Amino acid sequence: MASKQMVHMNQGQGETSYAHNSSFQSAEQNRMKALIEAAVVELCSNTTTLSHGKVVIADLGCSSGPNAVALVSIALEATHSHFLQLRQPPPEVCVLLNDLPYNDFNAVVKSLVAVRQIGEPVVVTGVVPGSFYERLFPSGSVHLFCSSNSLHWLSKAPEDLRMKQIPAYDMDENVRRERLPVVAGAYARQFKKDFTLFLQLRAKELVPEGRMVVSLPGRRSDEPVTETSLIWGTAAQILGAMASEVNTSFTF
């Protein structure tokens, strides 16, 4: 549990903070806009799902800064627009933002203040610290889950690599290439295990006929080595060299 709590993006609002260095993630969120709007329309059109006149929306892996409320804001605007077109009062909305406990929730709460001031629909907000590889919400309580650029973070490093003391990234290029199929296979199996667990947990927490809109990075090629991975490999070499210079253990 301690390892989960230690992982977080750079906090605060400074030059090196996640809030000022997350334009790639913001662009990905913008690409999800149409999907979230469609999901909201489907939810709002189902009288059974909204039988109590309330909607619960949760963002999993919200991080901090402007991106923290981007997805839920899209969902809120879509809800308001849908009922405005129908000339009906919108349902009450509960917005919940989740991330690991050491996330910069101080910044997140400040962002939520603006969300609460929208006016209509009535918005109640909250934060839910914890891993999305665990239960986070009561059974059958959430209408819409959103998550962007979060699910590639695994619950842990593959156990078989740890037991064999095989690093995810080796500074020796020949050794790295030789081990690549083993390392890639181990991480693929861990992702399958984690993603299956994630879906099982969210299935319990969703209301009947609830919706989930998820985005995560990937590639079309089955080949482990691509132009993109080579770019990240260069970055890993630089970080590895820096870690060696300061005599600090560093895991990629």
Side-chain angles (χ1 to χ4, degrees):
M1 187 65 180
S3 61
K4 293 177 186 175
Q5 293 179 337
M6 290 173 61
V7 178
H8 59 81
M9 299 299 184
N10 280 357
Q11 301 180 349
Q13 297 290 325
E15 184 179 350
T16 61
S17 68
Y18 175 83
H20 284 201
N21 294 276
S22 51
S23 57
F24 173 84
Q25 292 86 342
S26 177
E28 183 60 32
Q29 289 178 327
N30 290 335
R31 285 192 286 269
M32 296 173 67
K33 186 173 186 290
L35 295 173
I36 294 175
E37 290 173 341
V40 167
V41 170
E42 291 173 355
L43 281 170
C44 294
S45 301
N46 190 325
T47 55
T48 303
T49 304
L50 298 185
S51 57
H52 299 293
K54 297 174 184 143
V55 175
V56 177
I57 302 168
D59 185 321
L60 303 175
C62 66
S63 196
S64 61
N67 292 352
V69 296
L71 299 184
V72 295
S73 296
I74 292 171
L76 281 172
E77 291 172 5
T79 301
H80 182 268
S81 176
H82 178 77
F83 284 93
L84 186 64
Q85 291 179 8
L86 296 177
R87 297 185 180 179
Q88 296 177 2
E92 295 181 358
V93 180
C94 177
V95 170
L96 301 172
L97 300 183
N98 154 261
D99 213 310
L100 293 173
Y102 275 44
N103 183 50
D104 188 358
F105 281 113
N106 287 331
V108 171
V109 170
K110 292 176 183 177
S111 300
L112 284 173
V113 171
V115 174
R116 290 179 64 95
Q117 295 173 345
I118 290 177
E120 283 195 7
V122 174
V123 180
V124 177
T125 60
V127 295
V128 183
S131 168
F132 46 55
Y133 294 120
E134 301 170 350
R135 279 293 301 272
L136 294 169
F137 308 95
S139 299
S141 63
V142 180
H143 295 79
L144 174 64
F145 279 117
C146 298
S147 182
S148 176
N149 280 285
S150 297
L151 287 175
H152 58 288
W153 295 105
L154 304 181
S155 64
K156 61 181 180 179
E159 193 68 21
D160 48 349
L161 294 185
R162 188 189 67 80
M163 293 180 63
K164 296 175 183 177
Q165 296 185 332
I166 299 177
Y169 188 91
D170 198 295
M171 291 298 293
D172 187 307
E173 183 176 354
N174 292 328
V175 174
R176 183 172 69 250
R177 289 185 176 276
E178 182 180 337
R179 288 176 172 173
L180 185 57
V182 175
V183 173
Y187 273 90
R189 289 190 295 274
Q190 184 64 47
F191 173 79
K192 181 178 181 180
K193 190 183 301 182
D194 283 344
F195 193 54
T196 299
L197 175 61
F198 174 86
L199 293 177
Q200 291 171 341
L201 295 171
R202 304 295 81 81
K204 294 178 181 178
E205 296 167 347
L206 275 171
V207 301
E209 300 188 55
R211 297 291 186 272
M212 185 160 60
V213 182
V214 172
S215 168
L216 66 161
R219 61 170 180 263
R220 298 183 182 183
S221 173
D222 292 332
E223 173 60 42
V225 179
T226 64
E227 183 178 346
T228 303
S229 62
L230 289 174
I231 294 173
W232 289 115
T234 302
Q237 289 180 14
I238 296 171
L239 291 172
M242 291 170 60
S244 299
E245 288 178 6
V246 297
N247 196 27
T248 302
S249 61
F250 207 90
T251 302
F252 294 98

